[in-house]
Structure formats: structure tokens, C-alpha cells
């Protein structure tokens, strides 16, 4: 039986994917116990060649080629649907696993029969120099007993932390594959923030999860990666869509009381969106942006009365919502009514 499936979405990662694979194969697990699924998302560099060389040494390394570039969310989904392991770990192929991470985490997963386990990670530069006090350094600073994901969110609040402190990247969790399948927890195939949506879904649906206060993973900050390059209209549109998608997700699970807590994380994002991408963008770009997010703007506008108390803490953001998002949403609504 395959115990663990590592899933790596690969694009323009030639410089780092070899070291990432080395860290996976140095986990002291027999190769019959795990599989490594690399999804080549039409990478234009030598990423595929590196993976092929590793295939010559490791029979459990699977290479899947996309016929066209579909972005990271789709690549992760491709790997997930091909996986056969009891557990799955979504790895960014420019990062590194700590020694014996998989062995220790699999033991804890088995011991408590968890839907997923969550753990700490450290940050490093491209040259693998440790980054002190990185963002989300207050992520999971304590061990927890087994609890539901919703109980964990409430516990997080009780400890005086906000959702903005929480790093919910998919690489800080190992999931039971059957749990993801049964709850249809996959990645939206959009340009940006797909991991935020998937991580929240994975959290609020979980009946049994826990935190481990130990670093098992090293996150490499690559300035040229897609997540770090300047925001495009498509990325900002995806970001807003995922924010709204998370609100709808919480409504679907009957968790409306958590919406303000989650939205705190995105106040700065939405403030930037309103100023730079609505107020100051050229008219042509504004029309394209509004067309991409028109359905989401309507929901943001409808949410405003419910979150007045929350937004009152951020008067500049509220003003932008009222002066920019509101009129645009009303205009879109009027156009729909005329049709």
C-alpha cells in the first residue's frame, strides 16, 4: 500500500526541483511506501529534463505532462486525482522538507486517525539563508489536542490571534486523501489565491485535526515566482473572486459568524484593489477588471450592511467600498434587471 503521495506542480523550477526531490527521497521512508507525482505545467525551461533524470533512479516518481499551461491549482488537482496514497502532501517544488518530517507526521496521523495534520515551517532566501521573523511567524505556535477545524479557529481567536496571522498554504498540511475526496476539497483553477480557498475549505470541513508546534518544512522565497511578481488585473480579479468564494463557503457550512474574522486577512488586499485597480487604472483596464469580477462585486456590496461594525474599524476601506464597489455593484445589478 502506498502510504503517502507527494504532489509537485512544476513550472519554471529547474534551479530548485532537484534539491526538493532530494529532500523527499531523504525521508527514511522505503520507496515502496510513497510516490512522487510531478505535474509539468508546460514549463518552458529545463524542469522536465531534471525530473526525467530523477525518474531513471526512482521507479516511484511519476511525471504527468499538461498539454497546455493550466496554472498551479489545476496542476495540483491533476496530481491529486492521479494519487494513490493514503495521505497526500502538496509540495512547492522550490522548497525543502526537514529530515524525517514525513516519518514523524505519518505516525501522528495514524495515531489519531486525523483528517489532516498541520505544522510549522521556516522561511529562507533563494540561497537558503534563513529569514528571521518572516510573515506568519505567529502561525501555529502551540500544540493542540485533536479537535475540529472550526474549534481550532475559535481557539485561534481565544489566543488573541487573527486570521491574518494564520498561514494556510497547502504545504503546511498532510491530508488523508479520502477526506479530501469525500468533501470535494480541491483547488479552484484560477490565477491566484486558490490555495487560500482550498485551505479554508480543508479547515472548516475537518472533524479531526491538530497542530504540531515544530518546523517540518522550509519555504523558499523566490522573487520571480508567480506569487511574488506584481499583481496583474487577472491576479487581482482572482483574488477578489476567492475572497468572495470563501464567504460563500462559510455560508454553505453555516459559519456566517466567522466571516468578519476571515475577512480581516483581506482588508489590505481589498483596499489596494479599490485604490490601484479601480480608482487609478485606465478605463480600458477598468472595464476588463469589472467584467471579470462583476458577480463578486455584487456580493461584496450586499455584505456591507452585515459587516458594518467590522468595516468601521477601517474607515478608509469602508469609504472605498461605499464609493467604488457599491456603485459598480449597483450598476451591474441594474444592467441585469434591464436584461
Amino acid at each position: 500500500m502506498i502510504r503517502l503521495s507527494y504532489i509537485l506542480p512544476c513550472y519554471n523550477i529547474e534551479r530548485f526541483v532537484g534539491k526538493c526531490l532530494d529532500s523527499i527521497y531523504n525521508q527514511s521512508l522505503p520507496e515502496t511506501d510513497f510516490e512522487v507525482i510531478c505535474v509539468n505545467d508546460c514549463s518552458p525551461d529545463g524542469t522536465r529534463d531534471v525530473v526525467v533524470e530523477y525518474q531513471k533512479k526512482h521507479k516511484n516518481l511519476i511525471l504527468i505532462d499538461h498539454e497546455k499551461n493550466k496554472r498551479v491549482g489545476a496542476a495540483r488537482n491533476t496530481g491529486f486525482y492521479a494519487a494513490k496514497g493514503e495521505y497526500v502532501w502538496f509540495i512547492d517544488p522550490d522548497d525543502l522538507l526537514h529530515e524525517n518530517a514525513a516519518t514523524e507526521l505519518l505516525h501522528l496521523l495514524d495515531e489519531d486517525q486525523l483528517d489532516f495534520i498541520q505544522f510549522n515551517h521556516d522561511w529562507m532566501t533563494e540561497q537558503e539563508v534563513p529569514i528571521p521573523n518572516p510573515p506568519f511567524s505567529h502561525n501555529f505556535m502551540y500544540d493542540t489536542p485533536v479537535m475540529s477545524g472550526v474549534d481550532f479557529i475559535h481557539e485561534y481567536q481565544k489566543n488573541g490571534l487573527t486570521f491574518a496571522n494564520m498561514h494556510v498554504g497547502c504545504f503546511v498540511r498532510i491530508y488523508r486523501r479520502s477526506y479530501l475526496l469525500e468533501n470535494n476539497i480541491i483547488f479552484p483553477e484560477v490565477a491566484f489565491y486558490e490555495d487560500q480557498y482550498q485551505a479554508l475549505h480543508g479547515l472548516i470541513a475537518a472533524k479531526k485535526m491538530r497542530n504540531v508546534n515544530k518546523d517540518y518544512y522550509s519555504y523558499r522565497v523566490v522573487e520571480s515566482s508567480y506569487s511574488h511578481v506584481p499583481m496583474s488585473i487577472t491576479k487581482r480579479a482572482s483574488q477578489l473572486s476567492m475572497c468572495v468564494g470563501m464567504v460563500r463557503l462559510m455560508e454553505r457550512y453555516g459559519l456566517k459568524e466567522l466571516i468578519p474574522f476571515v475577512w480581516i486577512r483581506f482588508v489590505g488586499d481589498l483596499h489596494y484593489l479599490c485604490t490601484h485597480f479601480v480608482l487609478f487604472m485606465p478605463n480600458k483596464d477598468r472595464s476588463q477588471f469589472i467584467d471579470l469580477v462583476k458577480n463578486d462585486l455584487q456580493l461584496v456590496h450586499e455584505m456591507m450592511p452585515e459587516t458594518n461594525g467590522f468595516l468601521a474599524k477601517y474607515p478608509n476601506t469602508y469609504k472605498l467600498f461605499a464609493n467604488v464597489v457599491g456603485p459598480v455593484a449597483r450598476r451591474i445589478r441594474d444592467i441585469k434587471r434591464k436584461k
Side-chain angles (χ1 to χ4, degrees), residues 39-326:
V39 181
N40 173 36
D41 197 27
C42 299
S43 186
D45 68 352
T47 296
R48 189 182 190 279
D49 295 334
V50 174
V51 175
V52 168
E53 285 300 310
Y54 274 79
Q55 273 190 305
K56 295 175 182 178
K57 298 180 287 185
H58 302 287
K59 293 182 179 180
N60 65 343
L61 199 162
I62 300 163
L63 174 62
I64 301 174
D65 290 305
H66 276 174
E67 293 183 0
K68 62 178 182 180
N69 178 264
K70 298 181 180 180
R71 301 186 190 275
V72 64
R76 289 187 180 125
N77 288 340
T78 295
F80 173 61
Y81 287 126
K84 298 177 182 178
E86 183 180 2
Y87 300 103
V88 294
W89 193 352
F90 297 99
I91 303 291
D92 284 351
D94 48 0
D95 297 339
L96 300 174
L97 309 189
H98 290 200
E99 187 176 356
N100 293 323
T103 306
E104 293 182 24
L105 291 167
L106 286 173
H107 172 74
L108 295 172
L109 283 158
D110 288 341
E111 184 177 53
D112 292 317
Q113 291 295 292
L114 301 174
D115 295 324
F116 72 86
I117 194 164
Q118 198 163 242
F119 42 87
N120 276 330
H121 66 295
D122 54 58
W123 287 46
M124 62 183 178
T125 66
E126 290 189 27
Q127 296 76 30
E128 300 180 18
V129 177
I131 298 175
N133 302 316
F136 311 111
S137 59
H138 294 83
N139 194 15
F140 308 123
M141 295 186 66
Y142 51 90
D143 292 314
T144 70
V146 177
M147 60 175 62
S148 73
V150 173
D151 285 343
F152 169 73
I153 293 176
H154 289 307
E155 186 72 20
Y156 209 72
Q157 289 177 292
K158 289 178 185 177
N159 278 272
L161 297 169
T162 71
F163 196 73
N165 297 123
M166 190 187 300
H167 188 248
V168 289
C170 55
F171 52 78
V172 295
R173 295 176 181 170
I174 298 180
Y175 293 96
R176 185 181 300 276
R177 184 167 63 93
S178 60
Y179 163 68
L180 297 181
L181 287 169
E182 289 164 6
N183 291 278
N184 194 32
I185 300 171
I186 59 174
F187 294 88
E189 297 185 4
V190 297
F192 195 50
Y193 261 37
E194 79 294 329
D195 56 340
Q196 305 292 308
Y197 179 95
Q198 186 270 354
L200 180 64
H201 193 182
L203 183 62
I204 64 178
K207 303 300 183 186
K208 296 180 68 178
M209 56 80 65
R210 61 169 293 200
N211 273 318
V212 180
N213 183 21
K214 182 176 179 179
D215 291 337
Y216 285 102
Y217 189 98
S218 292
Y219 173 76
R220 189 190 306 266
V221 178
V222 180
E223 297 299 333
S224 60
S225 68
Y226 187 73
S227 60
H228 292 285
V229 297
M231 297 295 287
S232 64
I233 291 174
T234 303
K235 282 181 71 173
R236 279 295 176 192
S238 295
Q239 188 175 34
L240 179 61
S241 295
M242 290 297 94
C243 291
V244 170
M246 285 185 270
V247 171
R248 290 180 173 138
L249 186 65
M250 287 184 286
E251 289 176 339
R252 176 152 60 92
Y253 278 84
L255 299 170
K256 291 185 72 172
E257 76 279 1
L258 290 178
I259 290 174
F261 176 68
V262 172
W263 268 68
I264 288 174
R265 181 183 183 110
F266 306 111
V267 165
D269 297 331
L270 295 171
H271 187 284
Y272 185 87
L273 182 154
C274 290
T275 55
H276 290 74
F277 278 80
V278 179
L279 289 178
F280 302 130
M281 67 171 60
N283 288 334
K284 180 181 177 181
D285 293 343
R286 184 183 294 114
S287 297
Q288 178 188 351
F289 177 80
I290 290 173
D291 187 58
L292 287 169
V293 301
K294 55 188 175 184
N295 294 326
D296 301 312
L297 284 174
Q298 181 62 41
L299 187 134
V300 171
H301 179 53
E302 292 169 358
M303 281 178 54
M304 287 173 60
E306 297 181 15
T307 56
N308 276 351
F310 159 64
L311 288 171
K313 299 177 183 178
Y314 308 94
N316 291 334
T317 300
Y318 184 85
K319 183 178 179 181
L320 287 165
F321 274 22
N323 293 342
V324 179
V325 177

